[in-house]
Amino acid sequence: MANKEVITSQPKKKQGNWWLILSVILLTVLPLIFVKGEFQGADGKAEELITEIQPNYKPWFEPLFEPASNEIESLLFASQAALGAGFIGYVIGFYKGRKK
């Protein structure tokens, strides 16, 4: 009995991937266009709320390192996120490749 090649329709799979990519882009861009206001982290809001509730509150300790500007702080945060995502991707790929 000869091996018969199974022909699958690839266009549907590729089309599905494009829909996923488009939806991720839309979910990222639309809030930036339509939501008005400032985008800031939760730390500032928490600090405001704490001082509103307890005006005499003093933090237990000071940060070990204070970035020079918001841009550097954003760079460090993005670098941390990229390293974490890279590590998680590596581990998932490693174990998936190990199964094969």
Side-chain angles (χ1 to χ4, degrees):
M1 187 158 135
N3 288 339
K4 292 185 180 181
E5 222 175 282
V6 178
I7 300 173
T8 59
S9 61
Q10 289 294 329
K12 284 192 173 203
K13 185 176 182 182
K14 287 184 180 180
Q15 185 180 9
N17 288 342
W18 283 111
W19 283 112
L20 285 173
I21 291 169
L22 180 65
S23 63
V24 167
I25 290 171
L26 286 175
L27 285 172
T28 304
V29 172
L30 288 177
L32 295 174
I33 294 171
F34 293 112
V35 176
K36 302 296 181 205
E38 291 184 30
F39 292 96
Q40 57 183 344
D43 293 344
K45 296 284 187 184
E47 186 178 349
E48 288 175 14
L49 187 61
I50 289 170
T51 54
E52 182 181 313
I53 294 172
Q54 187 69 275
N56 298 332
Y57 175 77
K58 292 192 191 297
W60 294 357
F61 58 89
E62 295 295 321
L64 298 175
F65 171 72
E66 189 72 35
S69 67
N70 288 338
E71 290 82 11
I72 294 174
E73 185 176 353
S74 295
L75 172 70
L76 291 173
F77 181 76
S79 299
Q80 179 183 2
L83 284 171
F87 177 77
I88 290 171
Y90 173 78
V91 170
I92 290 171
F94 178 78
Y95 283 111
K96 184 169 179 121
R98 200 164 134 186
K99 282 185 177 180
K100 289 183 179 183

